[in-house]
Amino acid sequence: MRSVSAAETAPTQYAWPVEAEDLKVRAGRTMAVDGLDLRLSTGVHGLLGPNGAGKTTLIRALATVLPPAGGQLQLLGRGTAKGSDLREIRRELGYLPQHFGFYPRFTVREFIEYMAWLKEMPDRQVTAAGQRAIDRVALSSHADKKLKALSGGMLRRVGIAQAIVHDPRLVLLDEPTVGLDPAQRVGFRDLLREIGGDTCVLVSTHLVEDVSAACSNVIVMASGRQVWQGTPAQLSALGGPDDPGDSPTERGYSAALGQAGGWG
Amino acid sequence: MSTQHPEVLALELYTAGDPGLDDAEVWSIEAHLETCEQCRQQQTGILARVDPSGADLLARVADGLDLQIAAGPPPAPAPARFAVRQRWAAWSLAPWTGMALGVLAAAWLLSRVSPGETSMVLLLAPVLPLLPVAGSWSRYADPAWELLAGSPRVGLWMLLRRTLAVLLVIIPALLLVSFMIGLAPALWLLPCLGLTLSTLALSEKLGVTNAAVGIWALWTVGVLLPSFWSADVPPVLSSSATPVWGALCLIAAAVVAIRARGYARL
C-alpha cells in the first residue's frame, strides 16, 4: 500500500506553489533573471532555455539560496524576505543543484539521513524516510557504499534521493538527468510523474525529450525572462518543418526561441 | 471488489471459526472482507454477539505488543561517531582547524626561538579561531554548501554549533601552549572570544567568510605588523584592556541575539 505523505494530508492555503512577479535575481554582477513572471501549480514543469538564459539562477532563487534583487517571489504561499518564512519554505522544499556537492566519505545512507536531518525531519522518521528515498531511486544495493565509490549516474540518483527524502511540496531539479544512462532516464521520468501527482516539480534541463516525456507544462526562458509557456503538445505544435530540431518538440522549442528573438 | 455479499449465516460461521466452512468459502469471505467496509462492520457486530471477549481484540493485541516491546532489548542507538559528525561538525571544519593548529604550532616555535619578543602566541591567539569558523561556512570549502544554504537548519544555531566546535578544539590547544610558554590565558581569552563574537555579529550582513577575513586584516594591520617594530606588548593585549574586551563581548553577543532571525541566508 502506498504511504500517505504529510504533504497530501496537510491543508494548502495558497493558490500557486510558485508565484513570481517581475522577479529579478543577480548572478554575480549580471542580472541573470530580469523581470520574470511565473506561476506554477502542482505537476511537473520543464524549464528549457539556451545557455545563459537564467535557468540555474532562477532555480537557485526558488531554492532560497540566492535572494531576489527585485520584484515579488512567493513560495508555498510565503514571501522569501523574512527568516521565519524562509525556514518554513525550506522544510517543504527539495533541491538538486546543477553541481551536486557531497561528502565523499559518507555512505549513501548517511548522506541521505544527514540531508533529512538538515530538512528538520523528526528523528524517528529519518531512517525509514532515508530507506524509502534510496529505494525510489533504485540504490538499495549501494546504500552502505561510500559516495566516493559511486559512478556519476549513481551520484546523480543520490542527489535526487536527498531532494525527495522529506516528501517536499516543491521540488527543484537542475539538470537531474546528466550522467544517467538511457534506462535510468526512463526510470527517472517515471519517478518524476509519480512525484508530480501531488507536488510542484520544476525540472531545468537542456534535454527536450525529457520534457516531452515527463512534464505536464513547459516554460521556455531566454535572456532572463519567460518567453513561452504551455503543454509539451502545444510546444510540439509550435514548430514548423523549417525550424531546427530532430523531433517535433525540439522544432517547437526552436520556434519558441525564434519568436523571442533567437538563442539569447 | 465482489458485489455479492456473503450470507449472514456464513459470516457468523466464519467469525466463530466454525470448521463446517470449507477452505474455498473461507478464502472467498476473507477476500470479500478485505474490500467491503459494510461487511466488516457487520462482522464486528457478529463478533460482539458471538464472542464478547473478541470485541476488544485490537486493544488486547496492542497491549500484548506493548508488553513484548517492553520485555525486548531496546532499539540500537545510532553510532555515536556519526551522530557527532552529523550534528556538530561541518565536514569542512577539519582541514581548517588543522591549519589553525599548525599556525599555533609555528607561533609556539617562534616563541621558543626568540623568547624576549612579544609572544607570537599572544599576538595570534585572538584571531586563531576565525580561520576555521570562516572555513566552515565557505562555499568553496564545503562541497555541500549549496544544499546546506537551502536547508531550514541553516541559521544562528548551526553557526553557533560550528563555532563552538571550533572553540572546543582551539581554546584547549591555546591553553596548553600558554601553559608551556608561561603565558597568562587572561591576556588572550577575552580578545579571542570578543573577536569571534564580533565575526558572528558582522556575518549577518557581510557573510561569515567576509567578516572573518575583514577582522583578520584589521588585526594584522592594527596589531600584528606594528608589533614587529615594537618590543612592547600591544596596548589592546595588555591587562588594562580587559574591560574593553569584556564590553565588546557583551555588545557583540547582544547584536547576535537581536539579529538572530537574520542568519537564515549565509
Side-chain angles (χ1 to χ4, degrees):
Chain A
M1 192 170 73
R2 193 176 77 86
S3 65
V4 179
S5 71
E8 288 171 86
T9 53
T12 54
Q13 295 172 336
Y14 47 83
W16 306 95
V18 174
E19 194 170 9
E21 195 177 323
D22 194 27
L23 180 67
K24 295 180 170 67
V25 188
R26 284 186 188 283
R29 293 181 180 178
T30 309
M31 194 66 81
V33 175
D34 193 3
L36 178 92
D37 295 317
L38 184 68
R39 279 179 172 176
L40 300 180
S41 59
T42 299
V44 183
H45 309 269
L47 183 61
L48 290 172
N51 292 338
K55 302 189 298 292
T56 291
T57 304
L58 173 62
I59 294 260
R60 295 185 78 208
L62 298 183
T64 71
V65 174
L66 289 179
Q72 299 290 320
L73 178 60
Q74 291 254 325
L75 299 171
L76 304 170
R78 295 172 184 273
T80 56
K82 282 167 57 182
S84 55
D85 282 340
L86 272 183
R87 189 170 175 183
E88 292 299 325
I89 291 168
R90 286 168 174 169
R91 277 187 187 143
E92 310 239 31
L93 192 151
Y95 172 43
L96 171 65
Q98 187 177 29
H99 302 291
F100 170 57
F102 56 90
Y103 303 123
R105 288 175 188 273
F106 276 39
T107 66
V108 172
R109 194 186 306 281
E110 284 174 343
F111 189 74
I112 301 294
E113 290 184 1
Y114 179 55
M115 287 299 140
W117 177 78
L118 281 177
K119 294 292 181 183
E120 295 190 333
M121 279 194 85
D123 281 354
R124 64 183 183 283
Q125 294 177 14
V126 164
T127 305
Q131 185 60 52
R132 198 167 61 242
I134 290 167
D135 290 343
R136 290 176 90 178
V137 297
L139 278 176
S140 306
S141 57
H142 302 277
D144 295 312
K145 283 188 181 168
K146 289 195 186 298
L147 294 177
K148 64 181 177 183
L150 301 185
S151 67
M154 286 180 185
L155 285 173
R156 212 65 195 155
R157 285 191 273 160
V158 173
I160 294 164
Q162 64 79 28
I164 61 173
V165 65
H166 56 303
D167 290 329
R169 285 173 188 266
L170 173 60
V171 178
L172 306 164
L173 306 171
D174 198 353
E175 301 285 2
T177 52
V178 170
L180 299 187
D181 61 36
Q184 289 168 349
R185 277 173 55 198
V186 170
F188 171 69
R189 289 169 190 168
D190 292 340
L191 177 62
L192 265 190
R193 281 190 287 264
E194 183 195 323
I195 300 168
D198 49 39
T199 307
C200 175
V201 185
L202 181 62
V203 187
S204 168
T205 180
H206 64 279
L207 297 172
V208 178
E209 61 265 40
D210 282 345
V211 168
S212 57
C215 299
S216 54
N217 178 43
V218 186
I219 300 119
V220 179
M221 276 186 79
S223 304
R225 290 166 182 266
Q226 175 189 306
V227 295
W228 191 88
Q229 184 168 4
T231 64
Q234 288 170 330
L235 185 64
S236 297
L238 198 65
D242 296 334
D243 290 309
D246 295 330
S247 66
T249 319
E250 281 189 15
R251 285 191 285 276
Y253 169 52
S254 300
L257 285 176
Q259 287 175 2
W263 289 76
Chain B
M1 183 184 97
S2 166
T3 52
Q4 183 70 45
H5 300 287
E7 290 180 4
V8 175
L9 179 61
L11 208 52
E12 283 178 351
L13 292 174
Y14 171 81
T15 306
D18 193 304
L21 285 175
D22 62 30
D23 287 349
E25 265 187 297
V26 169
W27 292 336
S28 167
I29 292 170
E30 273 178 2
H32 181 83
L33 284 173
E34 277 184 15
T35 54
C36 183
E37 174 69 24
Q38 185 188 334
C39 285
R40 281 202 299 272
Q41 285 185 357
Q42 195 177 2
Q43 192 203 10
T44 307
I46 294 169
L47 183 67
R49 202 172 62 241
V50 174
D51 177 13
S53 65
D56 62 344
L57 185 63
L58 279 176
R60 281 190 284 129
V61 169
D63 289 345
L65 283 174
D66 284 345
L67 285 173
Q68 284 182 37
I69 290 168
R81 183 176 61 85
F82 180 62
V84 168
R85 183 165 66 184
Q86 190 183 49
R87 302 295 164 89
W88 285 84
W91 195 242
S92 53
L93 269 180
W96 289 84
T97 308
M99 192 186 295
L101 292 176
V103 170
L104 178 60
W108 171 63
L109 283 174
L110 276 173
S111 297
R112 284 179 62 95
V113 170
S114 52
E117 306 288 326
T118 304
S119 168
M120 279 300 285
V121 175
L122 176 61
L123 292 171
L124 287 173
V127 287
L128 208 54
L130 305 192
L131 205 61
V133 167
S136 71
W137 287 102
S138 165
R139 70 179 68 193
Y140 305 108
D142 188 342
W145 185 89
E146 186 90 2
L147 295 173
L148 195 73
S151 76
R153 292 261 181 212
V154 161
L156 181 59
W157 287 113
M158 186 175 266
L159 182 59
L160 289 177
R161 275 199 295 263
R162 291 189 173 192
T163 305
L164 185 60
V166 169
L167 292 177
L168 285 174
V169 175
I170 298 292
I171 298 281
L174 276 169
L175 284 170
L176 178 68
V177 172
S178 297
F179 174 74
M180 287 161 67
I181 63 173
L183 182 68
L187 290 176
W188 56 260
L189 190 56
L190 271 181
C192 184
L193 294 177
L195 293 185
T196 304
L197 281 168
S198 300
T199 301
L200 300 189
L202 290 173
S203 63
E204 194 251 327
K205 290 288 180 200
L206 302 178
V208 182
T209 308
N210 289 341
V213 168
I215 289 180
W216 249 99
L218 283 175
W219 187 260
T220 303
V221 171
V223 178
L224 206 55
L225 291 179
S227 70
F228 292 133
W229 287 278
S230 168
D232 298 330
V233 173
V236 291
L237 288 172
S238 62
S239 54
S240 60
T242 301
V244 179
W245 286 113
L248 179 68
C249 286
L250 289 175
I251 292 168
V255 170
V256 169
I258 290 167
R259 302 293 303 168
R261 285 170 181 261
Y263 289 82
R265 288 190 195 271
L266 289 167

